Amino acid sequence: MEAVDSASDSTGRSQRRVGILYDERMCRHHTPDDEPHPENPNRIRAIWNKLQTAGITQRCEVLSAKEAEDKYILSVHGKSHVNLIRNISSKQFNSRRNRIASKLTSIYLNEGSSEAAYLAAGSVIEVAKRVAKGELDSAFAIVRPPGHHAEQDEAMGFCLYNNVAIAANFLLNEKELGINKILIVDWDVHHGNGTQKTFWKDPRVLFFSVHRHEFGSFYPSNDDGDYTMIGEGPGAGYNINVPWENGRCGDADYLAVWEHILIPVAKQFNPDMILISAGFDAAVGDPLGGCHVTPYGYTMMLTKLMDFARGKIVLALEGGYNLTSISNSALACMEVLLDEKTVTGSTEAYPFESTWRVIQAVRQELKAFWSVLADELPTKLMSQKAPIPKILFSSSDSEVEDVEELLQYVIRPLSTLRVDEDHHGKETCLFAESASVSWRSDLSKIDIWYAAFGSNMWKPRFLCYIEGGQVDGMQKPCPGSMDKSPPKEILWKIFPRRLFFGRESTRTWGLGGVAFLHPESKNEDIMYMCLYRITLEQFNDVLHQENISSYDMTSPLFDLTSLGCVKEKGSINLEAVKNGWYHNVVYLGMEQDIPILTMTCDSSDIENFKSGKIPLRAPSEDYANTLVKGLVEGGQLSEEEAVSYIKEAATKPL
């Protein structure tokens, strides 16, 4: 259906017709006893009040919320899930509502939850339908609870129904609307796992998510958000994940991704309509997000998308938990929809090195599906990068009361990203020199021996931790170290230590146990170790990768003080990566007056292995093969001897 002509204002300029939807009834969903919670009714109230104060609501068509019909919800969710959400607020669930919520991940439920969930889903359908029909040019649905984490049969991550996915299916199934291809852009700081799974095999929907991932350690804490997750069957290539390796990504990082991934692909895809899962938890000051997108950044991201689908765009609120941040960000987006480009900001910044690394990986993974991604990015472009800075806060990193005083923080020309100049701004910022530069420089001068006893005994596997990449059998690549220099020397030694294999599965190797060193020495045990002479800086990066940590590395995990301590005590647990499996650094002596270090689990893990709380498991064939290759190519054992060595370690009780 063709859109009717837009109205004009008194100056004769074409005025966009923008819808906005807010309903106080969605505030009835709150914690059972009004306990504090980041996803609370004040989120949408703050946005609505900000837009009213700024005069935005007077220039928009204010729409009424409508509850979604079950038949539309059932296009995304299963019957049992719909029955649960429909009835969960009724009296019959009063005695078991909290117990049901406790079994779900990051969910609370109360007497107002059902109504709010139906209103949120129905409201996104309503605004999407009005935009698709051409009655509106674009719209913003200020809804809660959010939706993008909700899966077919599970509420999770504050989300009950997947509002955007339901609206997308509605548009595609209502043939008279003429919407055949939809681009869903999810810029919430968390991966939109529910939306991804809904359209995993559907080429009519191009799903794009940019999010903190940190190798699966950031919520929802799995591999769904990895860049290798590209869709399946007819949907292969239509699922694009851009997974940040670290927090503190800001305008420059997001705009680089827009320029070199999203915008070229969107142009080739040519959508009929765009739905945005508009979470504002990547904004500066968000207590959960830890990123640094400014209102100007959201302005630029949305402005670039306005060039597609004749500007037929619907924003649906997802996350965002700093009331000032989400209000300012929502206002910036509404001014774009109204074509009132008043937000200013800095157009000068560099992306992080990790951002370029992720962009390259995504383009490489998807170039077979999108010809616009086939060309290599210029080395000169990717050399323009910023270190991860240590921002100076008056309070904690995660809570900044005056968000407008905290702006982008690494100033450099961004002309190579071709950021539109109509928004060039005059804002300034305060930032500290990267703390990581100082410690890395200091620790790069100190050598240690890293003693490998598992898959890292095979040099090509260990080099994945230094240079980046993966070897056969690995299910995900390593980012590599900041210093990619190869080991200065390699030698082998035998230690009186116990090798064993445990855990059900790992993200890197899949099913099967992986190698651990028993932290207590036993003279009758024999353990082959390959020693790599690397710098203490590189050892920190290996530690970080082994423990798949969200630690931002602005300071070292293991410094010279730690080195002195481990020499004295024999082993130390690293608090910063205590949730990792290799957070216990063990001192094994000296070689050529250089300390020998390795990493393993701690004594409490050993007790859990012994009790069966954590399973002892033989390694998978792929994992075992890397150990065999290391031992054979290292000249330590024959293949038969290596297989026997591994088998004995895997079967001998602790």
Side-chain angles (χ1 to χ4, degrees):
M1 180 180 291
E2 292 295 323
V4 295
D5 292 337
S6 296
S8 298
D9 61 17
S10 58
T11 65
R13 185 184 68 175
S14 177
Q15 184 178 10
R16 288 180 54 81
R17 291 158 311 164
V18 178
I20 190 168
L21 191 151
Y22 170 82
D23 194 306
E24 184 71 18
R25 288 178 292 171
M26 284 181 273
C27 295
R28 295 174 187 169
H29 170 64
H30 52 75
T31 52
D33 297 313
D34 286 323
E35 305 98 327
H37 193 281
E39 204 296 285
N40 63 71
N42 289 330
R43 297 176 58 244
I44 59 174
R45 288 182 180 133
I47 293 174
W48 182 247
N49 292 339
K50 182 75 172 183
L51 298 182
Q52 282 188 310
T53 302
I56 295 294
T57 55
Q58 296 90 317
R59 299 195 290 278
C60 296
E61 181 175 340
V62 179
L63 306 175
S64 300
K66 293 183 179 180
E67 290 192 9
E69 296 180 45
D70 280 352
K71 64 179 181 181
Y72 300 132
I73 299 173
L74 286 166
S75 72
V76 171
H77 296 289
K79 287 184 179 180
S80 60
H81 181 70
V82 172
N83 288 337
L84 175 66
I85 301 303
R86 185 199 305 118
N87 298 307
I88 195 65
S89 295
S90 63
K91 289 182 180 179
Q92 71 186 78
F93 279 88
N94 282 352
S95 62
R96 48 199 173 110
R97 190 180 299 122
N98 289 347
R99 187 169 68 254
I100 291 171
S102 69
K103 294 179 180 179
L104 300 170
T105 305
S106 300
I107 289 292
Y108 62 77
L109 299 164
N110 77 330
E111 294 84 351
S113 298
S114 294
E115 182 183 37
Y118 274 86
L119 286 169
S123 296
V124 181
I125 290 175
E126 178 65 16
V127 298
K129 178 174 67 175
R130 296 284 296 272
V131 171
K133 286 183 174 180
E135 297 171 4
L136 297 169
D137 295 306
S138 55
F140 181 24
I142 308 170
V143 297
R144 62 177 294 274
H148 70 151
H149 291 310
E151 298 188 353
Q152 181 179 11
D153 292 303
E154 184 177 0
M156 59 184 293
F158 311 159
C159 303
L160 302 183
Y161 283 148
N162 196 317
N163 308 317
V164 166
I166 292 167
N169 265 343
F170 172 85
L171 295 173
L172 293 169
N173 294 333
E174 298 292 312
K175 300 301 181 185
E176 68 274 12
L177 295 176
I179 303 298
N180 300 309
K181 292 192 295 181
I182 296 174
L183 167 62
I184 297 178
V185 175
D186 189 333
W187 67 41
D188 188 282
V189 80
H190 302 96
H191 178 239
N193 55 289
T195 313
Q196 170 173 296
K197 290 181 179 179
T198 301
F199 302 108
W200 185 246
K201 298 181 180 181
D202 195 338
R204 300 173 300 169
V205 175
L206 173 60
F207 177 65
F208 172 90
S209 179
V210 55
H211 48 270
R212 278 185 72 176
H213 184 60
E214 291 161 50
F215 311 103
S217 65
F218 196 76
Y219 190 87
S221 304
N222 54 43
D223 289 335
D224 288 349
D226 194 73
Y227 68 85
T228 58
M229 304 294 282
I230 62 171
E232 186 180 337
Y238 291 89
N239 194 89
I240 302 178
N241 285 320
V242 180
W244 296 140
E245 295 179 0
N246 48 262
R248 298 184 178 179
C249 294
D251 295 357
D253 304 282
Y254 281 78
L255 292 174
V257 167
W258 254 236
E259 185 69 25
H260 299 294
I261 299 174
L262 177 57
I263 298 306
V265 172
K267 195 174 295 183
Q268 188 171 340
F269 180 65
N270 191 24
D272 299 316
M273 194 159 162
I274 299 175
L275 303 181
I276 299 178
S277 275
F280 294 114
D281 42 5
V284 287
D286 190 89
L288 301 186
C291 285
H292 292 239
V293 180
T294 68
Y296 171 73
Y298 287 113
T299 294
M300 295 304 304
M301 290 191 284
L302 183 54
T303 297
K304 288 175 177 292
L305 292 172
M306 294 289 286
D307 292 336
F308 302 99
R310 293 176 296 167
K312 295 166 80 76
I313 295 180
V314 168
L315 284 79
L317 183 66
E318 297 283 1
Y321 308 101
N322 180 302
L323 302 187
T324 304
S325 295
I326 61 175
S327 302
N328 290 340
S329 302
L331 174 60
C333 289
M334 286 304 299
E335 288 174 332
V336 173
L337 296 184
L338 287 163
D339 201 22
E340 297 174 355
K341 301 172 182 176
T342 59
V343 176
T344 60
S346 172
T347 60
E348 298 183 337
Y350 278 164
F352 294 138
E353 179 183 24
S354 61
T355 297
W356 289 123
R357 186 162 56 242
V358 170
I359 288 173
Q360 279 186 295
V362 173
R363 288 173 63 96
Q364 180 70 23
E365 189 74 24
L366 289 161
K367 67 181 182 181
F369 303 94
W370 303 101
S371 59
V372 291
L373 303 181
D375 294 340
E376 294 290 329
L377 295 179
T379 303
K380 183 178 180 182
L381 172 69
M382 292 184 293
S383 68
Q384 298 172 339
K385 58 199 176 189
I388 299 178
K390 186 173 183 179
I391 309 297
L392 294 177
F393 292 118
S394 59
S395 58
S396 70
D397 268 16
S398 60
E399 300 203 26
V400 182
E401 293 301 323
D402 190 357
V403 176
E404 295 185 357
E405 289 184 9
L406 179 64
L407 304 172
Q408 266 306 81
Y409 41 83
V410 183
I411 304 301
R412 292 289 187 275
L414 233 191
S415 58
T416 50
L417 297 179
R418 300 198 299 278
V419 176
D420 300 339
E421 291 302 322
D422 15 335
H423 290 283
H424 62 280
K426 305 298 182 184
E427 293 180 330
T428 59
C429 62
L430 295 174
F431 63 97
E433 285 293 318
S434 170
S436 67
V437 173
S438 174
W439 76 258
R440 286 186 178 277
S441 175
D442 293 341
L443 300 192
S444 68
K445 300 166 186 172
I446 309 296
D447 282 357
I448 61 100
W449 292 102
Y450 165 55
F453 52 83
S455 62
N456 287 332
M457 289 192 295
W458 189 37
K459 182 181 176 183
R461 163 63 182 103
F462 174 68
L463 290 179
C464 295
Y465 278 151
I466 301 298
E467 300 171 356
Q470 64 191 109
V471 295
D472 288 345
M474 291 174 63
Q475 299 190 5
K476 60 189 298 181
C478 301
S481 302
M482 191 75 78
D483 177 4
K484 301 188 184 300
S485 305
K488 298 169 186 173
E489 191 176 349
I490 301 175
L491 56 85
W492 285 80
K493 286 181 73 72
I494 296 175
F495 291 87
R497 297 279 174 161
R498 170 67 200 279
L499 172 69
F500 69 95
F501 297 91
R503 296 182 64 194
E504 195 76 56
S505 64
T506 62
R507 290 173 181 156
T508 302
W509 294 99
L511 291 173
V514 290
F516 290 96
L517 171 148
H518 195 302
E520 296 176 6
S521 168
K522 289 187 177 180
N523 291 332
E524 67 270 19
D525 290 322
I526 292 177
M527 194 170 189
Y528 291 87
M529 293 198 192
C530 182
L531 276 56
Y532 298 96
R533 184 174 173 180
I534 59 175
T535 68
L536 194 51
E537 178 200 3
Q538 290 175 312
F539 182 70
N540 271 269
D541 286 333
V542 173
L543 265 171
H544 189 256
Q545 293 172 82
E546 278 281 19
N547 289 285
I548 316 180
S549 170
S550 58
Y551 186 74
D552 62 13
M553 298 299 283
T554 52
S555 59
L557 291 165
F558 188 89
D559 58 13
L560 290 174
T561 301
S562 306
L563 183 58
C565 185
V566 77
K567 284 182 179 180
E568 180 181 342
K569 295 184 176 182
S571 67
I572 58 171
N573 288 323
L574 302 179
E575 184 67 21
V577 288
K578 64 181 179 181
N579 293 325
W581 286 94
Y582 296 92
H583 63 273
N584 184 21
V585 177
V586 178
Y587 173 66
L588 297 172
M590 302 288 283
E591 177 69 29
Q592 301 174 20
D593 291 326
I594 297 172
I596 306 170
L597 304 175
T598 192
M599 58 190 80
T600 187
C601 59
D602 64 21
S603 56
S604 65
D605 292 324
I606 294 293
E607 293 307 312
N608 287 329
F609 279 120
K610 287 181 177 179
S611 68
K613 188 174 181 180
I614 305 172
L616 292 168
R617 287 286 184 272
S620 67
E621 183 178 354
D622 285 334
Y623 184 80
N625 282 342
T626 62
L627 276 71
V628 172
K629 289 176 184 176
L631 290 163
V632 173
E633 294 177 14
Q636 303 304 297
L637 298 172
S638 68
E639 184 172 342
E640 184 179 352
E641 290 170 333
V643 171
S644 177
Y645 169 73
I646 294 165
K647 184 177 180 180
E648 181 182 359
T651 55
K652 185 178 179 181
L654 276 180

